[in-house]
Amino acid sequence: MYHKKRAQTYDCGLDLVGEILYGKWKIRLLYFINEGHIRPGQLQKKIPEATRRVLNVQLNELENHELILKTIFPVLPPKVEYRLTELGQTLIPLILSIGLWGDKHEERLREILKKTNEQRQ
Amino acid sequence: MYHKKRAQTYDCGLDLVGEILYGKWKIRLLYFINEGHIRPGQLQKKIPEATRRVLNVQLNELENHELILKTIFPVLPPKVEYRLTELGQTLIPLILSIGLWGDKHEERLREILKKTNEQRQ
DNA sequence: TCATATAGGGCTAAATTTATCCGTATTGAT
DNA sequence: ATCAATACGGATAAATTTAGCCCTATATGA
């Protein structure tokens, strides 16, 4: 497992949240788990752009950060389920608001991103 | 300027927000600008862990993404001011909620991060 | 016997992001 | 003449994150 070389300082709440939510797929993982897609395979179907590997990595981090809980059923073929911890649940309203904001400004944001992505040629 | 090689797909509002807010210092920049620290030098003082260079890079991105507006005053020594665009302003409530969540769970989060950072030795 | 379903992780490569270093510019004060 | 204040960005290095490839494991059913 990779470990950071640069020391981290967490000055304020915003920093702390940044640290645990910073990851390309994390917020979406939380979102989908909350929606009931609780098995690894289901999550992969919801986020096909990500490889299974990365999802595992990020799920592990979410678990270490105590936002989700993993249950491994001792059956074959293997079965795993994730669910939000209490702490994780308290994040859901925030995630939903962020999503709503994005939906509300979707058109505008797409234009903006289109423009800036074009510039980079 | 760096340009991305991997194609991006934005499936939902959450994706779009992710794209424009993903950056180590962006949320804090928005936060501080909203608090009235509108000049580059002031922002650097508020975020001393970041180099001036990176702040510039991220400020530029925020500007391109139309979340902030830059005013260059033609004086010497140079003077620059940033302020939130209307779009940027609509993000503030979200950012504040995130910060509040972080503050509320500060102790818990520090413990969690301490643990996970220790593991990585 | 072989594919299928299911989930995991090591290792390495590539992409992306962040940090460092250094050079530019100008006025006014020492 | 030099330095401080103020701000910007190119080029490159380092750190970090994400992706790709490949191997493990086992019961069931074709």
Side-chain angles (χ1 to χ4, degrees):
Chain A
M1 196 212 237
Y2 182 82
H3 66 267
K4 306 199 179 188
K5 293 182 183 166
R6 256 189 271 272
Q8 304 275 305
T9 57
Y10 309 115
D11 297 338
C12 57
L14 230 33
D15 279 19
L16 291 161
V17 184
E19 182 70 14
I20 59 166
L21 288 187
Y22 208 64
K24 190 163 173 179
W25 314 102
K26 285 189 185 173
I27 289 186
R28 278 198 275 169
L29 284 170
L30 292 173
Y31 179 86
F32 287 127
I33 290 172
N34 180 246
E35 276 209 322
H37 305 95
I38 57 178
R39 299 189 56 189
Q42 296 176 325
L43 290 167
Q44 234 261 288
K45 264 170 216 150
K46 298 303 286 182
I47 315 181
E49 315 93 277
T51 62
R52 185 58 156 279
R53 185 75 182 85
V54 188
L55 293 185
N56 282 337
V57 169
Q58 305 220 341
L59 284 165
N60 284 338
E61 288 179 12
L62 289 173
E63 195 194 358
N64 287 331
H65 289 154
E66 301 178 22
L67 298 178
I68 62 177
L69 215 65
K70 179 178 186 173
T71 312
I72 303 176
F73 295 90
V75 297
L76 275 164
K79 178 175 173 183
V80 163
E81 283 183 8
Y82 290 101
R83 56 206 158 81
L84 300 173
T85 59
E86 269 189 57
L87 185 62
Q89 281 173 41
T90 63
L91 268 175
I92 294 300
L94 296 181
I95 292 177
L96 294 178
S97 323
I98 296 171
L100 285 177
W101 185 91
D103 290 339
K104 183 168 174 189
H105 300 278
E106 177 172 350
E107 248 184 280
R108 176 85 185 278
L109 293 173
R110 281 193 197 283
E111 271 176 51
I112 291 172
L113 287 170
K114 202 176 150 201
K115 247 186 278 179
T116 55
N117 289 336
E118 273 164 9
Q119 279 178 10
R120 330 198 200 201
Q121 307 230 6
Chain B
M1 194 210 234
Y2 182 82
H3 66 266
K4 306 199 177 188
K5 293 183 183 166
R6 255 189 271 272
Q8 306 274 305
T9 57
Y10 309 115
D11 298 337
C12 58
L14 230 33
D15 280 19
L16 291 161
V17 184
E19 182 71 13
I20 59 166
L21 288 187
Y22 208 64
K24 191 161 173 182
W25 314 102
K26 285 189 185 173
I27 290 187
R28 277 198 276 168
L29 284 170
L30 292 173
Y31 178 86
F32 287 127
I33 290 172
N34 179 246
E35 276 209 323
H37 305 95
I38 57 178
R39 299 188 56 190
Q42 296 176 324
L43 290 167
Q44 233 260 288
K45 265 171 216 151
K46 297 303 286 183
I47 315 182
E49 315 92 276
T51 61
R52 184 60 155 279
R53 185 74 181 85
V54 188
L55 293 184
N56 282 337
V57 170
Q58 306 221 340
L59 284 165
N60 285 339
E61 288 179 13
L62 289 172
E63 195 194 358
N64 287 331
H65 289 155
E66 300 179 23
L67 299 178
I68 62 176
L69 215 64
K70 179 178 185 172
T71 313
I72 303 176
F73 295 90
V75 296
L76 277 163
K79 178 175 171 182
V80 164
E81 283 182 7
Y82 292 101
R83 57 208 158 80
L84 300 174
T85 59
E86 269 189 56
L87 185 62
Q89 281 173 40
T90 63
L91 269 175
I92 295 300
L94 297 181
I95 293 177
L96 294 179
S97 323
I98 296 172
L100 285 177
W101 187 91
D103 289 339
K104 183 169 174 189
H105 300 278
E106 177 171 351
E107 249 184 279
R108 177 86 184 278
L109 294 172
R110 282 193 196 282
E111 270 176 52
I112 292 172
L113 288 170
K114 202 176 149 199
K115 247 187 277 178
T116 54
N117 288 336
E118 274 164 8
Q119 279 178 11
R120 328 198 201 201
Q121 306 231 4

